[in-house]
Amino acid sequence: YGDDTVSGAAALGESGVYAAKVEDASLKSLLGGNTVGLTFDLGSWVVPKSASGEDVLITGGVQVMDTSGTTTTVHAPLVIQAERGGNVLYTSFHTEHQSTVDMEAILEQMVLSL
């Protein structure tokens, strides 16, 4: 979100716990439902604006702050897996301090599906 062609102009994700929608059937089965809680213990993370529909595994509404300090809620792809001359995996969350059982299961499933 924001202008990624200008250094420092992109909006950044805010910390928090976000309820996300599981779009992928295999992840729904693994997690036992259509929603998952994703924890972001740090702000300033990159928020993707869009991705091809078939590549998006999890989406959700998240808070972003623009360069003026204005915070808004946007709907964004949060987990993406794509075949682009090789497998590309992207998760907006990391698992250093805020990992949950569901977040670890998502990452494990993505890695094992390669």
Side-chain angles (χ1 to χ4, degrees), residues 20-40:
K21 181 180 179 188
V22 181
E23 307 286 351
D24 179 71
S26 63
L27 282 180
K28 285 179 188 178
S29 178
L30 175 73
L31 299 170
N34 296 331
T35 60
V36 63
L38 300 178
T39 303
F40 295 82

Side-chain angles (χ1 to χ4, degrees), residues 1-12 46-47 49 64-67:
Y1 278 86
D3 186 352
D4 62 357
T5 65
V6 176
S7 179
L12 301 172
V46 175
V47 182
K49 189 170 187 175
V64 297
M65 181 182 296
D66 66 20
T67 56

Side-chain angles (χ1 to χ4, degrees), residues 8-85:
L12 301 172
E14 293 285 291
S15 62
V17 177
Y18 297 106
K21 181 180 179 188
V22 181
E23 307 286 351
D24 179 71
S26 63
L27 282 180
K28 285 179 188 178
S29 178
L30 175 73
L31 299 170
N34 296 331
T35 60
V36 63
L38 300 178
T39 303
F40 295 82
D41 65 337
L42 300 172
S44 299
W45 51 277
V46 175
V47 182
K49 189 170 187 175
S50 65
S52 179
E54 68 272 6
D55 298 337
V56 178
L57 306 182
I58 297 177
T59 62
V62 295
Q63 293 283 313
V64 297
M65 181 182 296
D66 66 20
T67 56
S68 72
T70 302
T71 302
T72 57
T73 300
V74 299
H75 189 78
L78 301 175
V79 177
I80 302 164
Q81 184 171 13
E83 178 80 26
R84 300 289 188 273

